[in-house]
Amino acid sequence: MYAVRAISCNSSSPLKQGQGHNFCLGGRRDQRNGLIFSSSWRPKDSSINSNSNSSANYYYKANTNTNTSSNSSKEDVVVNNGKSNSSSSIIDVTAVVTIRKKFKEKINELIEHQWELFLNGIGQGISIQLVSQHLDPITNSGKIVQSFVRGWLPKQAKASHIVEYTANLKLPSDFGHPAAILITNLNAKEFYLLEIVIHGFPPAPIFFPANTWIHSRNQNPQTRIIFTNHTYLPSQTPPGIKDLRREDMLSIRGTGKGHRNYHDRVYDYDIYNDLGNTDKDDDLARPILGTQERPYPRRCKTGRHPTKKDPLSESRIEKPHLFYVPRDETFEEVKQKSFAAGRLKALFHNLLPSIAATLSSSDIPFTCFSDIDKLYNDGFLLKDDDQKVVGHPLFDKMMKQVTSVSERLLKYDIPAVIKRDRFAWLRDNEFARQTLAGVNPVNIKLLTEFPILSKLDPDEYGPPESALTKELIEQELPGMNVDKAIEEKRLFILDYHDMLLPFVDKINSLRGRKTYASRTIFFYTKRGFLRPIAIELSLPLTSSSPHGKKVHTHGHDATTHWTWKLAKAHVCSNDAGVHQLVNHWLRTHAAMEPYILATHRQLSPMHPVYKLLHPHMRYTLEINALARQNLINGGGIIEASFTPGKYAMEISSAAYKDMWRFDMEGLPADLLSRGMAVEDPSMPSGVRLVIEDYPYAADGLLIWSAIKEWVESYVHHFYEDSNSITSDIELQAWWNEIKNKGHHDKRNEPWWPKLNTREDLSGIVTNMIWVASGQHAAINFGQYPFGGYVPNRPTLMRKLIPEEVEVTTSMNRSDLSKMFP
């Protein structure tokens, strides 16, 4: 079992794996560098003369079987640059290893935990190697001391699910400051490492924050590297951990090949070729996104095998199995519970997703507004035993498709939009207010030119001129002509015409779905209120419909009264779709994913930009993976609940192609591009709002300015000048990878910012943090208050507005109200 040999080590003859049981001082780092690792070794004779001229003639007892259960004692390794260590030159330090257990453990998990306690108690569970910031002149790597976590009864922290283990280490006095820890999990299961704190170095303990899953050696023999909480630019990295810094990033980039396992920490890129599922149903075929025809940001690669019918598409897995994301990107236990409990309250497709999907597929409508009100007043309860719905026969069929949830999950708070006034959503002032202060306040623009022209191909889509003429608009203006209103910045537009018109025929061919391409004109009154004055609804030109465009305005009779409200409903439906597919999913989720992948692949955890961005990127990959599995996939909740149906992600791709620009993702740039603000150097944000009462922008600019100020001071703290930016190899690789890999289809666009100065870096990082924080919050957290009441933001429209002749000859007010979504 053991081999004992006198050895002499020097830097010119490192011992490689397979050269007998020879161990250089400091042992092998691990298999990554080809050096042998010993799980138990110690000096044979501690009385060796410390003044010996021999460079490193030591006897070590080496346990070559790392899986042994031998009861032989395991002493700590002492490394002292080829000199023996007398008691006076030894520093005793203690490593406190903090691990988080599950909050609630099953019986089998409790048994496994007891076995882990036993292994840890005898020093067979967790190995740690303390790495110095100084080089060992013999190995030319950081000095290393190894120990094992021990303790039959780990210290229980204040929280019952937190435990602390200790490991004692003996360091030579010239060991230097610890800069990294190599940790190996010898147990059969992974564990969640919160931190390691080294006690014994004056003047204060040394912290190694981890917050990471440590895989079992059975799953992956690679040792994990945990760095100190110090921040270093690449050029400032202590010599002892330079190689470790590089190794750590290489380990998570992967090779670009192979299937990903649950415990892996591999970050790599792929296209959106997993939205369809032809192996299940040919009707679930969906186009690949991330091609020249349909550009899109890249997603995290999962490595699943191709589908049987389409070798270019990736196969899917369905719940309860989850899409792969790197292990540390998965939800923690608390986040998992809160996400699962709250996700059905976000918006209509999350409000009651199975109900929405069933309604869409079975044509079971809400018969009146009272049916919708029961969602909030009476509720529809599930019994835990058979999941049978109590309260309404309409939902008996639906609930068979709903997974196990608690009873209270099917009764909802009254959404804010109807809490004070049940019919506020019907009024024009509320319709207009929501363009500035609703869940999607990012599409309204200042109208600056007239006539309004389309940029679509006139040979395919007809004349570019809008049907919104001066004469029609001026009928709605109080003593003012269009030119004067434009000059005074009083006309605004919500324009979804060019984005949606290419898809209208496709959508209207789907069963139970009807839509228009819409334009809405608003007038900003002298009293400071925004008022809708005209809506244009367009259909593609056909032989039966040579005009294709119809304008709706306020009316004074019953017919125009209701057609105006139906026109607003179609606008709200378009707005809901654009909000979800473009502003929410594309801009704050899909476009963020490449930033996250590049940050992990190209920036060390010690890099200041990594530390700045990491809190804003947490959980996004997991949320995006869940979206690909259940929301945006073929036959998923978005397709079932939103008017575009199977063409939803094609619309998102078209918006990415025609609209998305990194340099316009910052709030001031966005407001300026939409004409909602003008430049004003006297303002903290550099812009002044055209409409002062624009809550999204007014509040957002305060947040933006705070982010910008913080980022600028942070960048200036770590980077002395422009040269320190251009010479930062990790930073430059990070930005190049975002442009060329993460947003590959946009890599040649001229608007990408340069990264040569501190100002460049501050602007780039401010944009990213804004999108992940303030922008996402603005368009995410209002989903339930505004979208929770379906008529306010109908995500799915089933009928076109009837022609006036139909209304006046064959329909009455009751018929029209039933058409309302």
Side-chain angles (χ1 to χ4, degrees):
M1 181 182 298
Y2 294 96
V4 180
R5 181 181 303 177
I7 62 175
S8 177
C9 298
N10 57 66
S11 58
S12 63
S13 59
L15 296 176
K16 300 294 182 180
Q17 189 171 3
Q19 296 181 358
H21 305 301
N22 298 337
F23 295 83
C24 290
L25 295 178
R28 73 101 166 150
R29 284 263 320 293
D30 59 46
Q31 294 179 1
R32 290 167 303 194
N33 289 335
L35 297 177
I36 293 179
F37 172 77
S38 114
S39 65
S40 175
W41 52 298
R42 60 182 177 178
K44 182 179 180 181
D45 187 353
S46 60
S47 64
I48 294 178
N49 186 353
S50 62
N51 296 320
S52 171
N53 293 326
S54 175
S55 62
N57 293 322
Y58 281 33
Y59 287 93
Y60 282 86
K61 184 175 182 180
N63 178 359
T64 62
N65 180 6
T66 58
N67 293 320
T68 182
S69 59
S70 171
N71 291 325
S72 60
S73 63
K74 301 182 187 300
E75 301 288 345
D76 300 322
V77 176
V78 178
V79 180
N80 196 17
N81 297 330
K83 297 181 179 180
S84 65
N85 298 302
S86 64
S87 59
S88 61
S89 62
I90 296 299
I91 302 174
D92 291 319
V93 301
T94 301
V96 178
V97 181
T98 305
I99 294 174
R100 188 184 66 208
K101 302 187 300 179
K102 293 182 68 174
F103 288 92
K104 294 183 179 180
E105 294 181 307
K106 300 177 182 178
I107 295 179
N108 63 313
E109 291 173 331
L110 289 171
I111 296 174
E112 292 170 349
H113 179 63
Q114 293 302 313
W115 175 246
E116 291 173 1
L117 288 176
F118 171 76
L119 293 177
N120 292 334
I122 62 175
Q124 292 269 8
I126 302 172
S127 163
I128 65 172
Q129 300 175 69
L130 198 61
V131 184
S132 171
Q133 64 182 359
H134 298 314
L135 286 174
D136 187 321
I138 298 175
T139 64
N140 204 33
S141 298
K143 302 175 184 179
I144 296 179
V145 170
Q146 179 197 0
S147 184
F148 288 78
V149 163
R150 294 179 176 85
W152 295 101
L153 296 174
K155 180 181 177 182
Q156 200 78 26
K158 293 181 179 180
S160 60
H161 60 285
I162 304 296
V163 295
E164 295 178 349
Y165 293 95
T166 59
N168 298 315
L169 301 101
K170 297 180 181 296
L171 309 181
S173 58
D174 63 349
F175 181 79
H177 198 82
I181 292 176
L182 309 181
I183 184 165
T184 304
N185 178 9
L186 306 177
N187 291 299
K189 291 180 60 178
E190 65 180 1
F191 62 81
Y192 191 83
L193 177 65
L194 287 173
E195 66 177 8
I196 300 176
V197 181
I198 306 298
H199 297 269
F201 281 90
I206 303 172
F207 287 84
F208 292 80
N211 296 304
T212 183
W213 288 97
I214 306 298
H215 58 259
S216 167
R217 188 180 55 178
N218 298 339
Q219 299 168 330
N220 184 349
Q222 195 174 54
T223 299
R224 286 294 309 280
I225 305 170
I226 308 298
F227 294 106
T228 179
N229 62 344
H230 286 286
T231 300
Y232 299 108
L233 294 175
S235 60
Q236 300 168 342
T237 308
I241 59 171
K242 277 189 175 180
D243 289 345
L244 288 179
R245 181 173 186 145
R246 182 171 57 254
E247 285 180 41
D248 186 52
M249 288 190 292
L250 289 174
S251 69
I252 65 175
R253 291 178 193 168
T255 62
K257 300 178 182 179
H259 180 76
R260 302 288 183 262
N261 295 308
Y262 179 73
H263 60 267
D264 286 342
R265 295 173 60 251
V266 178
Y267 295 77
D268 204 355
Y269 300 93
D270 208 344
I271 56 178
Y272 279 73
N273 62 349
D274 63 344
L275 300 179
N277 192 356
T278 52
D279 287 351
K280 182 178 181 180
D281 191 331
D282 289 340
D283 289 337
L284 293 178
R286 296 294 182 268
I288 295 174
L289 306 185
T291 64
Q292 185 175 359
E293 181 183 1
R294 295 183 178 89
Y296 218 60
R298 296 303 186 258
R299 64 170 175 89
C300 183
K301 186 179 183 66
T302 64
R304 298 191 303 271
H305 58 79
T307 61
K308 297 176 182 178
K309 294 184 178 180
D310 181 6
L312 298 179
S313 294
E314 192 173 78
S315 59
R316 292 182 56 81
I317 56 176
E318 306 299 339
K319 281 191 171 183
H321 306 290
L322 298 176
F323 279 18
Y324 165 82
V325 294
R327 185 65 180 98
D328 287 338
E329 302 297 326
T330 57
F331 289 155
E332 295 182 24
E333 193 175 0
V334 174
K335 177 69 175 180
Q336 178 67 49
K337 290 181 178 180
S338 64
F339 183 82
R343 63 183 174 181
L344 300 183
K345 285 190 174 183
L347 76 165
F348 180 60
H349 76 261
N350 272 348
L351 175 67
L352 287 173
S354 296
I355 293 178
T358 308
L359 283 174
S360 175
S361 62
S362 62
D363 263 348
I364 304 175
F366 288 109
T367 59
C368 59
F369 292 135
S370 296
D371 280 349
I372 300 175
D373 292 342
K374 288 181 180 179
L375 290 172
Y376 321 105
N377 300 328
D378 301 333
F380 299 93
L381 304 181
L382 283 179
K383 292 182 177 179
D384 289 335
D385 52 356
D386 59 4
Q387 295 186 12
K388 182 179 179 181
V389 175
V390 178
H392 200 290
L394 170 67
F395 292 89
D396 286 345
K397 179 180 177 181
M398 301 175 195
M399 289 302 103
K400 293 178 181 179
Q401 301 181 28
V402 180
T403 56
S404 294
V405 291
S406 63
E407 287 190 356
R408 66 176 182 276
L409 201 58
L410 290 181
K411 184 176 181 180
Y412 296 91
D413 298 332
I414 299 175
V417 72
I418 60 168
K419 182 169 287 187
R420 293 185 178 180
D421 185 344
R422 187 180 169 196
F423 295 104
W425 60 276
L426 274 171
R427 301 189 182 100
D428 289 349
N429 60 348
E430 178 64 17
F431 173 77
R433 186 188 74 87
Q434 290 186 30
T435 66
L436 300 174
V439 70
N440 190 42
V442 297
N443 284 107
I444 188 170
K445 299 179 180 180
L446 179 70
L447 186 61
T448 58
E449 296 180 342
F450 217 88
I452 302 169
L453 300 176
S454 170
K455 296 180 181 179
L456 298 175
D457 183 358
D459 292 335
E460 186 174 357
Y461 298 102
E465 293 81 10
S466 168
L468 291 162
T469 64
K470 281 189 176 182
E471 292 74 20
L472 282 171
I473 293 177
E474 287 175 352
Q475 291 177 13
E476 303 296 325
L477 298 181
M480 182 181 293
N481 59 40
V482 168
D483 293 335
K484 184 67 172 176
I486 290 177
E487 180 184 347
E488 294 184 2
K489 293 182 171 58
R490 293 191 177 277
L491 289 180
F492 297 83
I493 186 170
L494 193 63
D495 192 348
Y496 298 132
H497 179 275
D498 288 6
M499 185 191 301
L500 298 180
L501 191 61
F503 297 93
V504 168
D505 270 349
K506 295 179 181 179
I507 295 171
N508 288 346
S509 67
L510 300 175
R511 181 172 175 264
R513 290 155 194 270
K514 298 298 177 184
T515 192
Y516 300 93
S518 63
R519 289 187 178 108
T520 308
I521 302 295
F522 298 87
F523 177 70
Y524 186 58
T525 70
K526 292 183 179 181
R527 297 178 60 190
F529 294 102
L530 200 63
R531 183 169 64 89
I533 60 175
I535 296 173
E536 177 193 70
L537 300 180
S538 300
L539 297 171
L541 297 178
T542 63
S543 56
S544 59
S545 179
H547 301 292
K549 301 173 183 177
K550 183 175 178 60
V551 175
H552 297 267
T553 59
H554 298 269
H556 303 287
D557 57 81
T559 299
T560 53
H561 172 81
W562 279 101
T563 55
W564 169 250
K565 294 189 183 301
L566 290 172
K568 287 195 299 180
H570 274 280
V571 172
C572 288
S573 180
N574 286 347
D575 191 67
V578 171
H579 161 260
Q580 204 57 245
L581 297 170
V582 179
N583 298 325
H584 187 192
W585 165 253
L586 170 62
R587 293 176 61 186
T588 68
H589 284 269
M592 281 292 299
E593 193 152 344
Y595 311 155
I596 301 169
L597 295 173
T599 297
H600 284 278
R601 287 167 53 88
Q602 298 297 342
L603 299 181
S604 166
M606 293 184 290
H607 197 286
V609 174
Y610 178 98
K611 291 181 179 291
L612 181 60
L613 288 176
H614 184 259
H616 303 284
M617 297 178 170
R618 194 86 185 272
Y619 303 130
T620 300
L621 292 187
E622 172 84 336
I623 293 172
N624 289 3
L626 290 171
R628 296 203 320 275
Q629 188 172 30
N630 300 295
L631 296 181
I632 64 173
N633 59 298
I637 292 170
I638 292 288
E639 289 191 2
S641 305
F642 285 76
T643 300
K646 64 188 291 185
Y647 302 106
M649 289 304 292
E650 292 185 51
I651 292 175
S652 187
S653 172
Y656 177 71
K657 180 179 181 180
D658 298 333
M659 299 169 51
W660 189 86
R661 292 179 50 160
F662 179 87
D663 62 329
M664 291 296 153
E665 288 300 285
L667 181 56
D670 171 61
L671 293 172
L672 290 171
S673 70
R674 293 191 283 121
M676 300 302 293
V678 294
E679 292 185 353
D680 186 346
S682 67
M683 302 296 289
S685 60
V687 299
R688 177 172 49 83
L689 296 178
V690 172
I691 297 178
E692 290 186 10
D693 188 14
Y694 187 1
Y696 158 76
D699 294 347
L701 286 172
L702 295 175
I703 298 171
W704 166 272
S705 298
I707 294 172
K708 182 174 181 289
E709 181 181 353
W710 158 241
V711 171
E712 287 177 345
S713 63
Y714 187 92
V715 168
H716 279 69
H717 177 78
F718 288 101
Y719 292 93
E720 295 181 354
D721 50 32
S722 296
N723 182 60
S724 59
I725 297 288
T726 56
S727 62
D728 187 335
I729 57 175
E730 289 183 10
L731 188 70
Q732 295 298 326
W734 167 75
W735 185 234
N736 287 332
E737 185 165 291
I738 286 173
K739 295 183 294 184
N740 297 314
K741 283 190 175 182
H743 287 276
H744 178 79
D745 302 324
K746 295 261 188 178
R747 65 192 182 282
N748 295 322
E749 296 289 352
W751 40 253
W752 283 105
K754 304 294 184 182
L755 183 50
N756 298 323
T757 67
R758 293 186 294 181
E759 290 69 31
D760 294 340
L761 177 58
S762 296
I764 289 168
V765 173
T766 299
N767 269 16
M768 292 180 178
I769 293 178
W770 161 253
V771 171
S773 57
Q775 178 76 342
H776 180 263
I779 59 179
N780 178 71
F781 294 116
Q783 290 181 97
Y784 187 78
F786 291 100
Y789 187 67
V790 182
N792 182 58
R793 293 185 63 78
T795 58
L796 193 156
M797 300 295 289
R798 297 187 180 277
K799 294 183 179 182
L800 297 176
I801 299 175
E803 294 297 326
E804 187 172 342
V805 64
E806 298 178 55
V807 177
T808 56
T809 60
S810 61
M811 303 188 74
N812 55 37
R813 177 173 174 174
S814 176
D815 294 325
L816 278 173
S817 63
K818 289 180 181 179
M819 290 180 58
F820 210 85

